[in-house]
Amino acid sequence: MKSLFGLLVIFACAYTNAQAQSLSDKHRAFQPGEIWTDTEGVHINAHGGGILFHGGTYYWFGEHKTDGRTGNRAMVGVSCYSSNDLLNWKREGVALAVHEEGSGSDIEKGSVIERPKVIYNEKTGKFVMWFHLELKDQGYNAAKTALATSDHPTGPYEFQKSLRPNPETWPINFKKSWKKKTITEKELEGWSDEWKKEVAEGLFIRRDFQTGQMARDMTLYVDDDGKAYHIYSAEENLTLHIAELTEDYLGFSGKWAVIEPAGHNEAPAVFKKDGKYYLITSGCTGWEPNAARSFVADDLMGPWTSLGNPAVGEGADLTFDSQSTFIVPVQGKKDAFIFMADRWRPENAIDGRYVWLPIQMKDGRPVLEWQDKWDFSYFDK
């Protein structure tokens, strides 16, 4: 009996120590740019991500990266993590798995899957994922958006289709006279003033009118009325497009507009405050960081007004060595928004870091200041 009692004491102590260790390992603050581990102690692997809040739980979807430079290809698929506090994340596994190599599928192993975002459709009960897709061995020439759906937030998601949005449909803020223009790229000197003018007046929109518009870096946004919107970088990454989705979120309604024509924006992230819409983007410098941009509008379809670089202080000219991917509204805190960004490591993709910063509003514009460490008390100031 003494021996058995001794064993029970040992087990009880071990369990207590394990619990204490577990509690001490919990993340209690955000530390931008540092290794961010999940509840199993493994660096979170959900890059270019977005957040879905559903049923009292946050779900983080992102690109599953692998080792080395080739790790930016989709070798696994889209990861999913869940959390109740935005700090401590449980790995839920692969939400959307790539298809077998050699299958000929649009999402076969070795394709490029970027910036997955998931929204929930109240009417259909479906979880809807859209993402930027590049076909295997075609570089970034496909410039497509793709759709997958599931009955459960964590998946598995079933691939449905890939496409270029809005073929044979003009944007609502497009002048009639521009539709009849016949000038082509071959007749223009790239990046000249005339070229920029023609881009703004639909040079690439007309070129891609029949096939549908290019769609690369993207985000999704569901407005207060339940309507959903797909915002993506188009026209050789020169212009952002915003397109209304159908009621079931599975296609495009045909209503769309251009944002900042010829402005060379990508990495869109959007939020709404006091009836106004705010958009944060980046410039286009590949995997290298650059200065962020911000815009405001009274209507998602525009017009949008530039507010300049939202980042301030040391490192602002490179957005603190990161690039925007999503903006998270913090549940239960009024006007609390978190700027989500990635610090890319192209030489070893799996080592990419996350930069999450609180958004301040100053004089009607979003402001980002570097924080080595911060927690939700920041929003109580």
Side-chain angles (χ1 to χ4, degrees):
M1 286 295 292
K2 287 184 178 179
S3 176
L4 177 59
F5 179 75
L7 285 172
L8 288 173
V9 170
I10 291 171
F11 283 132
C13 290
Y15 178 73
T16 302
N17 289 337
Q19 277 195 315
Q21 180 67 32
S22 176
L23 287 171
S24 67
D25 286 348
K26 283 190 70 173
H27 298 294
R28 302 184 185 281
F30 298 97
Q31 293 181 272
E34 299 298 321
I35 288 284
W36 193 351
T37 54
D38 63 19
T39 53
E40 297 176 358
V42 179
H43 183 38
I44 294 169
N45 196 341
H47 308 268
I51 304 292
L52 166 72
F53 182 76
H54 181 80
T57 299
Y58 296 97
Y59 297 93
W60 179 356
F61 299 88
E63 308 158 24
H64 183 109
K65 302 290 191 183
T66 53
D67 292 327
R69 194 170 185 88
T70 58
N72 284 312
R73 299 177 192 162
M75 308 305 285
V76 176
V78 175
S79 297
C80 178
Y81 293 79
S82 65
S83 173
N84 295 319
D85 62 5
L86 288 172
L87 282 163
N88 298 280
W89 293 90
K90 174 187 174 185
R91 185 175 184 274
E92 297 289 352
V94 178
L96 174 68
V98 294
H99 294 173
E100 184 180 348
E101 192 169 10
S103 64
S105 165
D106 285 359
I107 63 164
E108 75 169 286
K109 187 177 182 180
S111 60
V112 174
I113 291 175
E114 293 182 340
R115 297 180 180 267
K117 306 292 185 288
V118 174
I119 52 180
Y120 177 67
N121 191 291
E122 295 280 355
K123 294 180 180 178
T124 66
K126 290 283 187 182
F127 295 89
V128 179
M129 177 189 294
W130 287 93
F131 54 94
H132 166 214
L133 174 69
E134 297 294 344
L135 304 178
K136 184 180 179 181
D137 298 329
Q138 293 189 26
Y140 275 72
N141 293 322
K144 302 178 82 174
T145 190
L147 170 71
T149 60
S150 177
D151 294 325
H152 307 283
T154 57
Y157 285 76
E158 182 178 351
F159 174 69
Q160 301 293 339
K161 60 184 176 182
S162 71
L163 68 151
R164 282 191 171 188
N166 297 305
E168 301 184 343
T169 308
W170 297 109
I172 61 172
N173 54 350
F174 200 74
K175 293 183 179 180
K176 288 183 180 180
S177 60
W178 296 349
K179 299 176 184 179
K180 301 175 182 178
K181 285 195 167 192
T182 58
I183 192 168
T184 65
E185 298 166 71
K186 293 180 181 179
E187 302 170 59
L188 298 164
E189 181 184 348
W191 299 102
S192 64
D193 289 342
E194 183 185 9
W195 178 87
K196 291 177 183 177
K197 175 179 177 293
E198 291 301 331
V199 170
E201 296 181 2
L203 180 68
F204 293 107
I205 290 174
R206 290 190 301 272
R207 184 197 69 181
D208 297 334
F209 185 72
Q210 299 296 330
T211 59
Q213 301 300 317
M214 303 175 81
R216 291 191 178 127
D217 279 13
M218 58 144 288
T219 194
L220 298 177
Y221 180 74
V222 180
D223 209 347
D224 301 332
D225 59 4
K227 287 187 177 180
Y229 299 85
H230 188 300
I231 305 171
Y232 52 94
S233 187
E235 303 176 45
E236 306 291 353
N237 286 16
L238 289 164
T239 302
L240 288 174
H241 292 180
I242 177 165
E244 181 185 80
L245 295 177
T246 52
E247 284 192 13
D248 58 11
Y249 304 168
L250 304 181
F252 293 86
S253 72
K255 181 182 178 181
W256 64 286
V258 297
I259 302 174
E260 283 294 294
H264 223 202
N265 286 282
E266 62 179 14
V270 66
F271 69 103
K272 185 178 184 179
K273 182 183 181 302
D274 298 333
K276 291 185 179 292
Y277 301 91
Y278 295 90
L279 178 69
I280 296 178
T281 71
S282 82
C284 301
T285 49
W287 297 108
E288 298 299 322
N290 54 64
R293 297 92 176 267
S294 62
F295 306 87
V296 64
D298 293 321
D299 189 300
L300 270 169
M301 290 291 173
W304 290 83
T305 301
S306 175
L307 297 174
N309 186 354
V312 297
E314 186 178 353
D317 57 334
L318 295 178
T319 320
F320 315 115
D321 194 24
S322 72
Q323 185 185 39
S324 51
T325 184
F326 197 75
I327 293 170
V328 190
V330 180
Q331 301 300 314
K333 283 189 175 288
K334 181 176 170 55
D335 296 335
F337 300 94
I338 299 175
F339 171 79
M340 280 176 65
D342 290 277
R343 184 171 284 178
W344 304 113
R345 297 285 175 87
E347 297 301 326
N348 189 28
I350 199 172
D351 189 37
R353 308 294 175 87
Y354 309 104
V355 172
W356 287 28
L357 293 170
I359 295 177
Q360 304 174 59
M361 295 299 296
K362 293 184 179 179
D363 300 321
R365 59 186 291 263
V367 174
L368 303 170
E369 289 184 298
W370 179 256
Q371 313 285 326
D372 287 325
K373 189 174 183 178
W374 68 279
D375 58 31
F376 291 112
S377 65
Y378 183 94
F379 295 115
D380 299 328
K381 295 177 181 177

